[in-house]
Each structure stands twice: as structure tokens, then as C-alpha cells.
Amino acid sequence: MKIVVAALGDSITAGSPGFDPDPDQRALHGFDADQESQWEYWAAAKDPRLEFRNCGVYGERTDEIAARLDVCGDGADALVVQGGINDIAQGRSVEEAAATLRSMVRRARELDLPVALADVLPWNNGYPDAEAEIRRLNDLIAQICVQEGVPLLPFHDTLEDPDAPGRMRPEWTSDGDHPSVEGYRLLGERAFHLPQKAKSE
């Protein structure tokens, strides 16, 4: 039996720069069409029951991602929400981003969708300027997961270089902004866990 998982997020969900689910985006930004350049590919390879709906859109903030939740989640069995780095890059406060992420978790609950929340990756090209904001947002995301009773997908810690905190290991990033195929493999195999029904409040 297939389990349809809607993956809602920005370019990290889409699979940039090696993949994008939208051919128009691939043409516009020069992305490739390598299916292995997305964490969803590797999560499905590990668990063949899973069928992912890739709803990642390059460059979107959490408010833009939230506007697509109902369409992306329609008919799915579970939802993964990922986002926040573009809020930081575009100067939006991390508190606003966190509030939007919380609203998506609550909307998923209204739709009776089990939901998991991914935290924000290290950003090599944004280091050190964005480091404090990333850590603050990830602290807020962790709090949301505890308070809302949903699982946290540890994207940040999975790809953080232990020898260079705040950055991805060189072989795990393709361009200093996004994971490499190897980085996406680690996210799919190690960081992803299928969300179950949210706990009652």
C-alpha cells in the first residue's frame, strides 16, 4: 500500500540545484533533472511504501509556502513542512517565520494530516552573518514541535560539519547554499521519519 507524503517547502524540498519538480523552474534557473538530487528520492528508496509529492518552490519564504499548503496536501496521507532560510535571506524576522511555520502545523492538523517539521540547514554562503538567525529560528522550530506534538526532522544537524559548526561539510553541499546529491541522500536516509497522527493538545 502506497503512503503519499506531500513535501512542502522551498528549494531544499525541490532539490536545487540538481533537480526541480517544475520543468519551467529548471529552464528559468538552469537546474538539472537529476532525480537523486532530492531528499524525497532517498527516503522513498529506503521505504518503498512512500510516494512523495514534491511541492518545493525555489526562493519562497514561509508565508509563500503556507499559501500552497491546502493544494499540496490534498489527498496526501502525511505532510512534511520545510522552510525559513529565505525569510532570513530576505530580512523577515525569525519570529514571523516561526509563527507561520506553527500556523502550517495547525492547518495540517485541521486537515487531519500527520505532519513533521524540518529545521533550517547550515548556510555556508551565509556564514557567519546568518548563523545566529538560523540557530534562533531552529530553536523556535524545536519549541513548536514540542508544543504542537509533532516530530522534528533534524536537517541542520544531519548536514552540519562537526569540524566547522554552522556550515555543511564540503562534500555535502553543491554550491554553499544547497545540498549535493550526497547531502540529499543523508537527509532522506537519516533525517526523514514518516509523521504519525499529531498528539492531542
Side-chain angles (χ1 to χ4, degrees):
M1 183 185 76
K2 285 290 184 183
I3 300 171
V4 178
V5 182
L8 179 66
D10 56 33
S11 59
I12 304 304
T13 293
S16 303
F19 181 79
D20 194 284
D22 184 347
D24 291 338
Q25 288 288 303
R26 292 201 291 268
L28 180 65
H29 297 289
F31 298 144
D32 292 327
D34 182 359
Q35 294 276 343
E36 296 183 3
S37 182
Q38 48 178 330
W39 65 261
E40 299 95 327
Y41 172 91
W42 297 103
K46 184 178 178 182
D47 185 348
R49 299 174 303 156
L50 304 180
E51 179 180 299
F52 283 90
R53 180 184 300 159
N54 189 327
C55 301
V57 176
Y58 177 84
E60 284 199 340
R61 301 181 308 272
T62 52
D63 58 314
E64 296 169 308
I65 294 167
R68 299 186 290 108
L69 188 151
D70 284 26
V71 171
C72 180
D74 186 33
D77 300 304
L79 176 71
V80 173
V81 173
Q82 171 274 318
I85 192 60
N86 293 310
D87 298 71
I88 292 171
Q90 296 176 35
R92 189 172 185 235
S93 81
V94 295
E95 288 76 17
E96 286 183 72
T100 305
L101 291 167
R102 186 187 296 273
S103 75
M104 284 190 269
V105 168
R106 290 180 173 176
R107 178 57 181 161
R109 181 175 293 136
E110 290 173 0
L111 297 172
D112 200 30
L113 271 175
V115 58
L117 194 55
D119 61 10
V120 176
L121 288 175
W123 183 18
N124 295 37
N125 291 337
Y127 185 88
D129 294 347
E131 171 67 1
E133 292 289 273
I134 289 171
R135 293 204 181 271
R136 172 63 180 152
L137 180 52
N138 282 346
D139 285 345
L140 293 171
I141 289 171
Q143 291 175 31
I144 292 167
C145 290
V146 170
Q147 293 163 359
E148 301 294 332
V150 300
L152 171 68
L153 304 186
F155 279 20
H156 184 278
D157 289 356
T158 299
L159 294 192
E160 185 177 35
D161 186 344
D163 298 321
R167 284 151 285 179
M168 289 180 273
R169 186 172 285 174
E171 63 267 30
W172 294 343
T173 180
S174 60
D175 56 4
D177 295 329
H178 305 93
S180 61
V181 168
E182 178 64 11
Y184 281 120
R185 182 185 71 79
L186 291 173
L187 293 180
E189 291 182 352
R190 297 184 185 178
F192 174 75
H193 301 283
L194 182 66
Q196 306 299 318
K197 289 286 185 183
K199 297 174 184 176
S200 299
E201 291 185 309

